[in-house]
Amino acid sequence: MKSLQVTPKKARLRNRIELLDIIIFIILLAITLAIILPFLNVIAISFSTQKDFMDSRFMLVPKKVTFANYKAILQDGRLWVGYRTTLIFLLIGVPINLFLTTSMAYGLSQPGFPLRKFFVYFIIFTMMFNGGIIPLYLLMKQINLINTIWSVILGAGINSFYLIIMRNYFMSLPSSLMESARLDGANEWQILFRIIIPISMPIIATITLFYSVDRWNEWYFAMIFIRKNELVSLQLALRSIVMEGQASQHFNYTDVNAIEFSDGMKMGAVLCTMLPIMCVFPFLQKHFVKGILLGAIKA
Amino acid sequence: MARSLERIKIFFKDLWKWRSNCIMILPGVIWYIVFAYIPIYGLTLAFKSYRANLGIFRSPWVGLENYVYVFRDPAFLESIWRTLFINFGRILFQFPYPIILALLLNELRINRFKKAIQTVLTFPHFLSWVIVASIMINVLGSRGLVNSIIKILGGESINFLGSEKLFVPLLYITENWKSGGWTMIIYLAAIAGIDTEQYESAEIDGATRLQTMWHITLPGIKNTIVVLFILAVGNIMVQGFDQVFNLSNPATARVAEILDMYIYRITFKTAADFSFSTAVSLFRSVINFILLLSADRITKWLGSEGLFS
Amino acid sequence: MEKRFDGTYFLPRARFYKNLINDPDEPVPNHFSLYMRKDWAEAVDFPIKSTYKISEVIEFAKKVKESDPGNLGDKLIPIAQAPSNAVRLFVGSNSTYYNGFYKDEDGTYKWGAASEETLEGLKMYAEAYQSGLLDPEFYTLQQNDDTRQFDTQGIAACNFGEAPTAALPRVFETNFQGNLGLDPYESINVATVLGEDGYYHQQDLINYWGTIIFSPNIEEEKFERWMDVLEFNASEDGSIFASLGLKDVDWKYDSEGNIVSLYDNSQQPLGGPDGKYPSMGYTLGVIILHDDFAFDNPNNDQRLRDLSRQLYTERCQICTPETFPKVDWDLFCFDSPNMRKVQFDYDTELTNLVTMGGDIEQNWRDWIESKMPMIQPVLDELNANLN
């Protein structure tokens, strides 16, 4: 974070606030408000009654605070299922992502490795050319992964872009480190885990964060590969609450007992899915800024 | 002959020396073969007639028959044209915004707000389009936040969500709302890497702030801009499905039908014909490949380092 | 059917059984109905009937919009409709085959979306949209949002939607009475919507959600057992069993011989994937319509059961064999690569024609033209193979 705040030195020399500063401040403030106000609006609606919402949707604080919306969401249970599935994606998926990405990135970062160039092109080719969803779907079906969490976890096993970022970072490390470790008789795995990973924490934290956010927001693979109510991902649970209003029980109208979602509940569900990111985000922010500085863009 | 034999020998010797590296990359390579290359092979479906009971490998070849169907549907060519139109527009209208944001934030000397503004601007990037779209639909609705403000200011309420004309600009605005701040961070990182001596000498020469911005900061982040530009071009055929899928509705269905929406529609919303859908996907990949390579060539030709150098 | 499949190998249609509405080989009427505010209709002096033409629905909506009997101001939505049911109301009620192919009187196959009746329906759809009778953002509404505007929020004058007998108590009592505190029987009128020709338009309901497919190698005993199960399901006992579960466990007869439910389905539904009996409703309930049992379900108010029966019955009377036809099995079972490519999302595409502005007839003609390269080969195939 600090490195971003190094203002050009001249600023220090001339520290008056000029008209330009005020204009810039106002512009940035307006943009910031354009982001904050919708969130306030969503929060306010989630705590309002349907009647207050009907009277005026333009509200930043609820007229009368009610928790009924949240109670109904929790009773509905779909979000719980979503949370459960998405946590599984996170807890199993992200370690797999990291293992595959780190080991391959390190393996391909060693300058002496003869197949290095070939495999880098092997990866880049898939970034430009991919089979698309249908062959992947048919593959998943063939290997019986449809309707299991593995279809989503393995389908999103490696993100080539993150892999390249990580490899670039490993390549920027001084090679003398690994050379001397090799002379001491360490094998490559020991080098990776004892030397490389400890000094690469910023990039690993960054990539972990990227993968975690991706798994958290997972919906497309989950929508196509998983068609089981008890394995709905969080984003799809939210989608079914927000977009479809309610899932009607098709077969038997004597059993219809579904909750109808009002707008307050929909917005409450939006907030519930956002909450973890909102809580974790400020603490992680400085890591990924550092990570970007270090490895992402070769300037 | 003997020499090439010698070379092969050396190669394998080398490989043996690096055997633990080979093992290291093995899981990743297997993943790529199974989940990237087999599906790429699956693209041959474009020239086959898929039969569920025969699988990809044994389904019969039909040559270009699928493409006969593809080109018969005017919606297909229209969706390609629309994808190009929307996403080239992104480069014109959406791409510069994070650069401008970064320059502005960099010039902001009220440090107390700098970090707070940066945090707020970055945050929405981490939300899924499902969330952002439901917020947007709420805020931009006829009685939502934006229209309420317009009405208070004495204006006529604007139909943001159902207007074919406003749909594309709305895509650019919401994308920047969501991810503009995030991309801005990448540029800020690049700006932080600029040599401060340059600023000092500009200061001594008596350059104004705008001049410094134009002559030092902007050239200083040129390479970053180029890399992101190539990535943006490379994304032209594949970008925006999440966003369009979640923001569009029947009223904007026609203008929202980019190629990926078309593929989604013919695959999952009507009778599924996997061969037909794959034929369309293949077409998309090929166009994308050509675009990406040409962007890379053009930037190299312009004197910048390409992406894959 | 038998000709085509060389024997009766499957029973695709669930039927009304005990409460037979029409002959067993006649088409089954659908449940979609128009809910309208009876109290508002009285306030604006609009006749209360059990059938309305589409243009009458529009007229009612206009009257309500003009005089606003509910004092709702800009919140009032004269016709609450999400796109899919809007298409059903305006186009489907006027054009039997708006979303498919049909055999015309001259014996050739035609595409229903290109028919004059479809255009006529679209024109009324566009009129309703342009004169502000629909929610200005009706296209952002999802599945049940429109029903909710009517029965929960009370801001809609009418809504065309699902109205199976078993759902009526929920609309009338749970939602409407529960949220608005008005007497639903005084405030809601449920009616059938007719086309502009004065007839009821609908394609026969094939009405199966699942098909039991038997392997040709099935063992004789297993097959017999299955047949017994299906036979039982088609009986009265079986029908109750398939709707309510086990006797004396999930339901019982009271002293007067009426059925009383013992199962509390607010905790867990009885059937369906999450239910107590997961196979219920799919494997076991497909022979007799659940709607049939709903007529007899003592938990439903008698007034609703009578109303529902009246609506179904009228639909079978106010129609001609052309507007409410039997299934054309030849067409139904026709399949070809070309045919598979012409299954469009009509709800979205027709709605888009209405919202895009400009002249609806021109939009429609352009749309037809853009689809013809795909439609024509299918029509050629149909006419060549089925005639």
Side-chain angles (χ1 to χ4, degrees):
Chain A
M1 204 61 204
K2 221 171 202 165
S3 43
L4 284 192
Q5 288 190 330
V6 175
T7 29
K9 274 196 182 136
K10 65 178 175 114
R12 253 174 271 158
L13 301 175
R14 239 197 298 162
N15 230 343
R16 309 197 304 279
I17 305 262
E18 305 168 11
L19 182 66
L20 187 64
D21 290 287
I22 295 169
I23 295 172
I24 290 175
F25 180 68
I26 291 173
I27 295 173
L28 286 173
L29 188 71
I31 295 171
T32 313
L33 282 180
I35 291 175
I36 292 179
L37 290 184
F39 283 110
L40 283 182
N41 193 215
V42 166
I43 296 171
I45 291 171
S46 76
F47 284 107
S48 317
T49 58
Q50 183 72 15
K51 198 183 156 296
D52 285 346
F53 172 74
M54 293 303 301
D55 288 343
S56 156
R57 294 182 192 194
F58 172 56
M59 55 175 142
L60 300 176
V61 277
K63 251 188 224 155
K64 205 171 67 211
V65 176
T66 165
F67 292 97
N69 296 324
Y70 287 96
K71 224 175 114 193
I73 293 164
L74 298 183
Q75 267 169 4
D76 173 64
R78 246 181 287 178
L79 277 189
W80 291 122
V81 176
Y83 259 107
R84 193 180 62 202
T85 313
T86 295
L87 276 180
I88 296 173
F89 288 162
L90 273 175
L91 294 178
I92 302 178
V94 174
I96 290 179
N97 291 149
L98 283 175
F99 171 72
L100 289 173
T101 310
T102 315
S103 60
M104 194 161 183
Y106 175 74
L108 295 179
S109 70
Q110 298 309 300
F113 182 49
L115 288 172
R116 192 173 62 113
K117 240 198 159 124
F118 169 77
F119 279 114
V120 170
Y121 280 109
F122 175 83
I123 292 168
I124 287 175
F125 182 72
T126 63
M127 287 169 83
M128 296 189 284
F129 217 83
N130 64 66
I133 194 73
I134 295 144
L136 193 58
Y137 174 80
L138 294 175
L139 172 76
M140 293 289 178
K141 219 161 111 181
Q142 203 112 40
I143 54 182
N144 283 326
L145 292 184
I146 292 295
N147 275 339
T148 69
I149 51 162
W150 298 106
S151 58
V152 174
I153 288 174
L154 292 177
I158 298 179
N159 180 316
S160 302
F161 191 58
Y162 302 162
L163 177 62
I164 300 281
I165 291 176
M166 207 171 222
R167 173 177 170 268
N168 286 348
Y169 180 82
F170 289 154
M171 277 167 67
S172 71
L173 298 173
S175 56
S176 55
L177 264 177
M178 300 143 221
E179 298 292 334
S180 57
R182 266 176 216 134
L183 288 179
D184 290 342
N187 68 32
E188 296 293 312
W189 289 103
Q190 286 168 331
I191 296 176
L192 175 60
F193 282 103
R194 301 236 176 99
I195 299 171
I196 304 297
I197 290 183
I199 61 170
S200 308
M201 271 341 265
I203 191 74
I204 289 179
T206 308
I207 300 296
T208 310
L209 178 78
F210 286 178
Y211 274 127
S212 308
V213 171
D214 288 353
R215 292 299 81 75
W216 185 262
N217 288 338
E218 186 69 65
W219 70 284
Y220 191 59
F221 277 0
M223 174 172 78
I224 287 162
F225 296 150
I226 299 182
R227 306 240 156 185
K228 234 176 169 179
N229 279 344
E230 61 265 41
L231 281 180
V232 165
S233 85
L234 184 62
Q235 302 298 331
L236 286 177
L238 175 68
R239 210 187 135 74
S240 81
I241 289 173
V242 175
M243 300 286 175
E244 281 140 37
Q246 78 165 69
S248 61
Q249 287 244 337
H250 269 298
F251 74 98
N252 191 340
Y253 275 99
T254 53
D255 274 346
V256 168
N257 193 34
I259 297 170
E260 303 251 8
F261 287 101
S262 72
D263 299 81
M265 285 182 224
K266 289 178 179 178
M267 290 303 130
V270 168
L271 265 183
C272 284
T273 40
M274 248 166 52
L275 206 63
I277 293 186
M278 272 172 118
C279 296
V280 176
F281 175 76
F283 301 104
L284 290 177
Q285 201 200 4
K286 63 171 183 278
H287 286 292
F288 61 73
V289 172
K290 219 188 265 170
I292 286 173
L293 267 171
L294 288 168
I297 301 299
K298 36 173 191 169
Chain B
M1 192 62 201
R3 201 190 275 169
S4 58
L5 209 69
E6 190 63 17
R7 255 198 221 151
I8 292 171
K9 236 181 182 170
I10 293 175
F11 175 78
F12 277 106
K13 225 173 165 181
D14 253 10
L15 210 57
W16 181 247
K17 189 179 142 206
W18 291 94
R19 60 188 178 278
S20 47
N21 264 53
C22 291
I23 295 169
M24 252 176 178
I25 65 167
L26 194 63
V29 172
I30 291 175
W31 183 87
Y32 271 103
I33 290 174
V34 175
F35 293 103
Y37 280 90
I38 291 182
I40 289 177
Y41 174 77
L43 284 174
T44 51
L45 270 186
F47 309 103
K48 291 178 169 186
S49 166
Y50 179 70
R51 304 277 157 76
N53 55 340
L54 297 176
I56 295 177
F57 289 94
R58 287 180 297 145
S59 287
W61 293 92
V62 291
L64 291 174
E65 195 189 293
N66 287 313
Y67 284 97
V68 174
Y69 296 124
V70 170
F71 284 102
R72 200 192 273 161
D73 186 357
F76 165 69
L77 282 177
E78 215 169 291
S79 74
I80 288 192
W81 182 84
R82 191 154 282 132
T83 315
L84 292 173
F85 169 77
I86 288 180
N87 289 343
F88 269 115
R90 281 185 202 271
I91 290 175
L92 278 182
F93 300 108
Q94 186 180 302
F95 186 76
Y97 174 78
I99 304 176
I100 296 168
L101 262 190
L103 293 176
L104 285 179
L105 199 66
N106 184 54
E107 288 298 322
L108 183 68
R109 293 196 293 186
I110 310 171
N111 272 328
R112 210 182 320 156
F113 294 105
K114 205 165 181 168
K115 195 177 168 187
I117 290 177
Q118 192 181 311
T119 309
V120 171
L121 291 185
T122 327
F123 175 64
H125 173 74
F126 293 92
L127 305 175
S128 65
W129 270 112
V130 180
I131 295 181
V132 174
S134 45
I135 294 176
M136 286 300 159
I137 288 167
N138 182 49
V139 167
L140 296 175
S142 64
R143 300 176 67 232
L145 188 66
V146 175
N147 273 322
S148 300
I149 294 175
I150 291 175
K151 270 186 217 153
I152 290 171
L153 297 177
E156 279 279 301
S157 84
I158 298 168
N159 176 5
F160 288 106
L161 299 170
S163 153
E164 296 196 332
K165 283 198 200 86
L166 287 179
F167 184 73
V168 174
L170 197 68
L171 289 182
Y172 303 151
I173 292 168
T174 51
E175 173 67 39
N176 272 334
W177 185 91
K178 181 174 186 283
S179 292
W182 168 249
T183 320
M184 171 196 78
I185 298 250
I186 297 176
Y187 289 117
L188 277 181
I191 291 175
I194 298 174
D195 191 358
T196 45
E197 271 173 33
Q198 289 187 35
Y199 287 105
E200 277 160 35
S201 55
E203 170 73 25
I204 292 162
D205 292 347
T208 65
R209 283 167 72 182
L210 282 175
Q211 280 171 328
T212 339
M213 193 197 282
W214 188 254
H215 292 290
I216 298 173
T217 316
L218 212 49
I221 57 172
K222 196 185 89 185
N223 278 333
T224 311
I225 297 178
V226 167
V227 171
L228 291 184
F229 175 77
I230 298 175
L231 285 178
V233 175
N235 274 333
I236 278 186
M237 292 309 285
V238 293
Q239 202 177 19
F241 174 77
D242 270 18
Q243 183 190 21
V244 174
F245 182 76
N246 284 302
L247 275 178
S248 61
N249 57 48
T252 49
R254 199 172 55 120
V255 285
E257 192 161 274
I258 57 174
L259 190 58
D260 277 334
M261 290 288 281
Y262 177 76
I263 293 174
Y264 178 80
R265 177 166 68 90
I266 61 172
T267 313
F268 298 108
K269 278 186 109 174
T270 61
D273 182 335
F274 288 152
S275 297
F276 181 55
S277 307
T278 310
V280 180
S281 306
L282 178 63
F283 202 84
R284 179 194 67 177
S285 275
V286 170
I287 298 179
N288 206 43
F289 194 67
I290 294 169
L291 281 174
L292 194 59
L293 284 188
S294 19
D296 195 46
R297 282 300 112 101
I298 289 169
T299 45
K300 270 188 190 143
W301 180 67
L302 287 173
S304 287
E305 245 183 290
L307 184 62
F308 307 114
S309 53
Chain C
M1 196 62 187
E2 291 194 13
K3 195 174 64 196
R4 194 166 165 84
F5 289 98
D6 195 20
T8 312
Y9 286 109
F10 77 117
L11 299 162
R13 300 196 312 158
R15 300 290 324 170
F16 285 104
Y17 159 69
K18 204 173 132 197
N19 298 280
L20 212 55
I21 300 249
N22 49 10
D23 291 336
D25 69 326
E26 289 293 310
V28 180
N30 207 345
H31 56 72
F32 280 84
S33 304
L34 182 80
Y35 294 99
M36 59 186 272
R37 285 294 289 266
K38 201 194 268 182
D39 47 347
W40 293 1
E42 278 158 1
V44 298
D45 233 2
F46 191 79
I48 313 277
K49 299 190 289 183
S50 63
T51 55
Y52 296 98
K53 291 182 188 173
I54 306 166
S55 53
E56 290 176 304
V57 176
I58 292 178
E59 191 193 327
F60 167 64
K62 279 184 176 160
K63 277 191 163 172
V64 171
K65 190 180 165 73
E66 223 167 78
S67 50
D68 191 9
N71 283 322
L72 287 161
D74 66 343
K75 274 184 275 176
L76 171 74
I77 299 166
I79 307 178
Q81 223 62 70
S84 57
N85 283 348
V87 171
R88 242 178 224 272
L89 166 62
F90 295 110
V91 186
S93 301
N94 197 57
S95 175
T96 312
Y97 302 102
Y98 74 100
N99 58 0
F101 296 91
Y102 68 103
K103 194 174 190 171
D104 205 11
E105 283 160 8
D106 62 7
T108 58
Y109 281 92
K110 300 221 165 109
W111 185 37
S115 70
E116 287 301 316
E117 290 82 42
T118 303
L119 174 62
E120 197 181 9
L122 275 173
K123 279 181 177 164
M124 287 184 284
Y125 191 179
E127 189 200 338
Y129 176 60
Q130 276 152 16
S131 41
L133 300 179
L134 298 170
D135 183 334
E137 273 159 2
F138 77 101
Y139 38 78
T140 61
L141 298 179
Q142 306 293 333
Q143 269 181 33
N144 294 321
D145 287 355
D146 50 355
T147 320
R148 217 179 61 216
Q149 289 175 336
F150 179 83
D151 66 15
T152 315
Q153 301 174 1
I155 55 171
C158 58
N159 161 249
F160 183 75
E162 299 185 10
T165 321
L168 290 177
R170 183 165 59 101
V171 173
F172 272 65
E173 287 154 16
T174 320
N175 293 350
F176 194 84
Q177 197 164 26
N179 285 291
L180 303 171
L182 297 166
D183 178 1
Y185 299 96
E186 292 302 314
S187 309
I188 304 179
N189 178 34
V190 187
T192 300
V193 178
L194 307 175
E196 289 307 282
D197 54 6
Y199 291 114
Y200 177 67
H201 290 257
Q202 187 209 309
Q203 293 177 55
D204 188 8
L205 283 185
I206 307 297
N207 222 349
Y208 62 86
W209 301 312
T211 304
I212 306 169
I213 299 174
F214 295 105
S215 159
N217 307 321
I218 192 170
E219 290 161 41
E220 196 67 22
E221 306 87 75
K222 278 190 189 162
F223 184 69
E224 285 304 320
R225 182 80 188 121
W226 263 109
M227 287 296 123
D228 289 344
V229 170
L230 295 181
E231 182 97 39
F232 171 65
N233 268 306
S235 71
E236 195 179 331
D237 284 350
S239 171
I240 299 171
F241 168 72
S243 297
L244 280 182
L246 298 172
K247 190 180 175 222
D248 295 329
V249 177
D250 301 309
W251 59 275
K252 64 171 186 189
Y253 288 112
D254 67 8
S255 51
E256 285 142 44
N258 291 323
I259 296 164
V260 184
S261 175
L262 298 174
Y263 187 76
D264 175 18
N265 60 16
S266 62
Q267 295 305 314
Q268 187 193 23
L270 199 56
D274 301 321
K276 185 177 170 191
Y277 307 115
S279 65
M280 177 187 255
Y282 296 101
T283 326
L284 297 177
V286 290
I287 303 298
I288 297 181
L289 282 174
H290 289 294
D291 308 64
D292 190 68
F293 175 71
F295 285 149
D296 297 331
N297 191 335
N299 298 329
N300 298 342
D301 193 293
Q302 186 62 43
R303 285 173 285 187
L304 294 178
R305 289 189 263 159
D306 292 343
L307 169 71
S308 209
R309 197 194 300 253
Q310 181 204 346
L311 289 172
Y312 283 119
T313 317
E314 270 181 356
R315 278 167 209 184
C316 302
Q317 290 160 353
I318 315 174
C319 64
T320 70
E322 282 76 42
T323 67
F324 190 20
K326 293 179 187 176
V327 186
D328 177 349
W329 290 108
D330 287 336
L331 177 62
F332 185 78
C333 301
F334 184 80
D335 181 41
S336 78
N338 283 322
M339 185 74 171
R340 264 173 265 150
K341 308 230 166 24
V342 295
Q343 302 195 359
F344 307 120
D345 178 357
Y346 287 93
D347 294 346
T348 302
E349 302 217 14
L350 294 179
T351 300
N352 193 237
L353 294 180
V354 167
T355 54
M356 71 169 66
D359 179 33
I360 181 70
E361 185 163 349
Q362 193 54 46
N363 294 347
W364 174 73
R365 287 197 195 288
D366 293 344
W367 179 71
I368 297 286
E369 204 181 313
S370 78
K371 295 292 182 198
M372 259 349 223
M374 288 178 292
I375 296 292
Q376 196 55 52
V378 178
L379 290 176
D380 293 344
E381 278 179 354
L382 287 174
N383 285 320
N385 293 325
L386 302 183
N387 275 333

